[in-house]
Amino acid sequence: MKIAVAIALLAATAAGTIATARQPRANAAAPALKLERVVMMMRHGIRPPTKAMPVAKRYSAEGWPSWTVDYGLLTDRGASGVKLLGEADRAYYSSRGLFGPGCPAPGVVSLQASGKSRAIRTAENWRDGFMPGCTAEVAHPTEDGPDPIFHGLDDKPAGFDSQRAYREALKLAPGGNVEADVKAYRGDLELLAKVLNCPVLCPLLTEPNKLVVVDRDRPELDGPVDVGSTASQTFLLEYLEGMPMKDVGWGRVTRPQIEQLLRFHPLKFKYSNRPDYVARAAAAPLISAMLDAMEQPGATKLALFAGHDTNIADLGAFLKVHWKVPSYPADDVPPGSALGFEVLKDAKGTRYVRAFYRAQTMDQLREQRPLTGKEGPYRQYLPIPGCGNSKAATACRLDMFSAWVKARRIQY
């Protein structure tokens, strides 16, 4: 976003309205829009790896650091970081006129989570920061049951065409060759091999990267890039958890190098989440639920969906939007970050929608900084290409957005 636009947005925000740039045709927005509702999809907070050995022993035989909670669960520090985001969101949306003091009335805040414990606890701790001392139940499925909103492809829908997904993913590689894409990451793989203390003739530097068809599911990258994505996320989580640097990557990785190695994560998203067919199918249940929350009449002013990085990656691909959080690679999904929508209304009652991305930086979370004043979380408005947005004009008429979403989604 250009500086002049950002300044205008901030000034308008302080007044409780948003001045929007003039848009062509049916997207032309009124001079001022008032915030009416927020709907956002948030990744869970800090967790340990989901298994004892994040990468196979042939890549690293090192013993990994111990954690205070079991594999994959939200840590206490993760809960605190999420609570800080809840506090910051309440202050921000109160300044926009959406909330007053005290507990919101029942139904004003809606909370829905994946069946995973870390997602449920994320929604609960965000709530405790957003509305301390207040009650609001978190709706969620059982952990072992079907979870169509957050894990729709896990049920391997019969109609999902895995071959089509594979072909579309392969087209994203230069000349249809994944290895050609990975060439630019050779230095990152060499760094990763050193951090992992990978054996002589390290397979990270010799094994091929392959795109693999998965029956009735999204394609997956297999090989060094997949290892790099998992390992770099693990180093990130160790850093965010506040572990001493001697324990983060066994003391063989620096804070800037963690950021460098995180490039593997969005590269994996590129092939598993960004193919258009995959995004249209995988994100369909979630975007449908979010659209319902945007369009429904009633008292709800904020609807929070708490899930996983793959949910946000799918949603971003569905919307064809991109973001860049400071201290993270482009399109990476930091713990606790959210991709969401503001629903706004003009004086005539016409509603508009704007997409945004909200996140803590790496060091804000590691240091558990209160997100106030200049330390506020990063917020970025995202033009939605399907609504014909320009970079300077991010508001789209809600009815046009709704029609575009419904035409794009593939439902099974």
Side-chain angles (χ1 to χ4, degrees), residues 38 40-42 110-113 122-123 126 302-306 358:
V38 177
M40 60 182 178
M41 167 63 226
M42 181 172 173
S110 168
L111 306 170
Q112 189 162 352
T122 290
W126 179 90
L302 194 149
L304 177 81
F305 294 80
R358 186 272 283 137

Side-chain angles (χ1 to χ4, degrees), residues 153 160-185 208-214 217-226 229 263-280 282 310 313-314 317 322 330-331:
L153 291 186
F160 187 83
D161 188 342
S162 54
Q163 290 292 336
R164 177 180 173 184
Y166 171 80
R167 290 193 300 269
E168 285 197 11
L170 204 57
K171 287 181 180 178
L172 299 178
N177 182 359
V178 172
E179 286 291 3
D181 208 2
V182 176
K183 281 183 179 180
Y185 295 79
N209 290 279
K210 299 178 292 184
L211 191 63
V212 179
V213 177
V214 181
D217 203 346
R218 67 182 82 234
E220 292 287 350
L221 274 177
D222 181 58
V225 166
D226 181 44
S229 176
R263 296 202 308 147
F264 291 117
H265 201 213
L267 180 61
K268 185 174 171 64
F269 287 152
K270 173 180 176 179
Y271 290 103
S272 291
N273 304 75
R274 283 276 169 181
D276 199 55
Y277 173 69
V278 173
R280 292 174 63 194
T310 52
D314 286 336
H322 299 275
D331 292 338

Side-chain angles (χ1 to χ4, degrees), residues 74-92:
L74 189 73
T75 68
D76 289 344
R77 194 178 190 86
S80 297
V82 167
K83 187 176 179 181
L84 289 170
L85 284 167
E87 293 170 353
D89 287 340
R90 179 62 180 266
Y92 180 67

Side-chain angles (χ1 to χ4, degrees), residues 219-258:
E220 292 287 350
L221 274 177
D222 181 58
V225 166
D226 181 44
V227 175
S229 176
T230 300
S232 64
Q233 277 289 293
T234 304
F235 302 149
L236 169 68
L237 293 166
E238 292 171 356
Y239 182 80
L240 297 180
E241 181 66 3
M243 292 184 184
M245 289 307 294
K246 67 180 180 62
D247 295 328
V248 177
W250 307 280
R252 294 192 290 266
V253 68
T254 66
R255 154 69 178 73
Q257 288 172 333
I258 294 173

